[in-house]
Amino acid sequence: MADDPDASDDHPSGSIRAISRALQILRIMNTQPTWSLHSLHLQTALPKSTIFRILHTLQHEGYVRLEGGVGVYRLTEKILEMSGGFTEKSLLVEVGSPLALRLTKAIKWPVALGVLDGDAIVVRYSGMPYSPIAAHSTTIGRRLGLADTAMGRAYLAFCPEVEREILFDMLRAAPGGSQLGHEELLLQELAAIRQQGYAVRQPNPQRRTATLATPVMHRTEVVGLMGMTTFGNLMTPATVTQCAPQLQAAAAAVSEAYATRLPPSPDTGVPF
């Protein structure tokens, strides 16, 4: 094994050379439909023997197909399985977390990102570890109700009407009874949230903190929520007036970054 430079011990950096080379081959093969051994050699400058072993392994695992006997290789549909864990929600967190962190450092209060998960909002990023005045160490993974939290109400206020009706049906049918409360009052509150562009949850018996939240939009869809949390008695009208525009500007920046990175629609050639 030590005599084979391609069998590869770890790099000094701790990375594994064989894996790095295989990923390099996959990235290059993803740029056009077919490749020959020689063309991959020209693109990578790797020895042909190394490329052949990598292709042979990828072929054995089902990710690469050899076209007949003409020496042409192509990726197979199995390669799509490798993207299954990276969803549009993952993309939102990837592009949004640096902007949420930047805002956290600017205003000191922690900023979080949430996404819809069934009948609740789940926090997927929390700036609490980076805030000197956070109430908790983190809220990542916390599920927030749609009808009784700032993120949840911001989602209901800005999502398309047909989606809102579906979510209302889910909340009406929740185990233990409807979670909507007084529906007519809730609808009035959602209309006010749409008009002002953000939702506020003041402290209550369940939570001593307060949250200001605004949606991250892509066209007419709510792809996520951005929220800022304070101690309850500090979410004053002055705090909202000062922080809401900053939160909305950050959410708009996340939306723009998200749209730029979103894969194109196979039908239209433009982002979904």
Side-chain angles (χ1 to χ4, degrees), residues 12-260:
S13 64
S15 62
I16 300 175
R17 183 169 56 187
I19 295 176
S20 296
R21 288 176 167 178
L23 291 173
Q24 180 187 9
I25 294 293
L26 288 173
R27 284 195 298 270
I28 290 172
M29 291 186 71
N30 195 45
T31 62
Q32 66 184 49
T34 60
W35 291 86
S36 67
L37 186 65
H38 182 65
S39 60
L40 286 170
H41 166 66
L42 293 177
Q43 283 287 322
T44 64
L46 293 174
K48 288 185 178 181
S49 59
T50 298
I51 297 172
F52 178 79
R53 286 197 296 272
I54 292 172
L55 289 172
H56 181 73
T57 301
L58 292 172
Q59 185 180 357
H60 180 266
E61 295 297 326
Y63 295 102
V64 167
R65 178 183 300 117
L66 176 61
E67 295 289 324
V70 295
V72 173
Y73 294 86
R74 68 168 66 245
L75 296 176
T76 72
E77 63 278 2
K78 189 175 181 181
I79 202 74
L80 297 174
E81 297 175 4
M82 300 181 71
S83 66
F86 189 83
T87 64
E88 292 176 9
K89 293 178 181 179
S90 304
L91 175 60
L92 174 75
V93 176
E94 181 175 301
V95 301
S97 54
L99 293 165
L101 175 58
R102 184 186 306 171
L103 184 57
T104 296
K105 291 183 175 180
I107 65 176
K108 305 307 179 185
W109 292 112
V111 176
L113 292 170
V115 297
L116 182 69
D117 183 31
D119 61 352
I121 303 297
V122 173
V123 178
R124 292 287 302 274
Y125 173 82
S126 172
M128 285 186 173
Y130 310 99
S131 168
I133 47 179
H136 308 285
S137 57
T138 185
T139 52
I140 290 179
R142 180 171 294 179
R143 294 181 66 83
L144 306 172
L146 288 174
D148 60 352
T149 68
M151 281 193 176
R153 290 192 173 198
Y155 193 98
L156 290 175
F158 287 92
C159 70
E161 185 175 356
V162 63
E163 183 181 5
R164 186 182 308 115
E165 285 303 317
I166 292 171
L167 292 173
F168 271 28
D169 286 343
M170 294 172 66
L171 294 175
R172 291 185 187 107
S178 174
Q179 297 180 9
L180 286 177
H182 193 297
E183 291 191 28
E184 191 61 37
L185 179 59
L186 176 59
L187 288 172
Q188 293 174 13
E189 292 173 347
L190 296 181
I193 291 168
R194 281 194 298 275
Q195 184 174 8
Q196 65 193 13
Y198 56 83
V200 177
R201 177 194 58 78
Q202 293 293 355
N204 55 46
Q206 289 73 42
R207 296 184 179 89
R208 63 187 179 90
T209 58
T211 299
L212 169 70
T214 195
V216 177
M217 305 294 297
H218 179 61
R219 299 183 179 176
T220 62
E221 304 293 324
V222 181
V223 295
L225 295 309
M226 182 171 271
M228 181 198 81
T229 298
T230 72
F231 295 116
N233 60 345
L234 296 180
M235 187 64 78
T236 62
T239 300
V240 174
T241 299
Q242 177 185 355
C243 294
Q246 297 178 75
L247 194 68
Q248 290 173 300
V254 175
S255 175
E256 182 178 352
Y258 176 86
T260 301

Side-chain angles (χ1 to χ4, degrees), residues 1-5 7-9:
M1 185 71 70
D3 296 331
D4 184 355
S8 165
D9 290 40

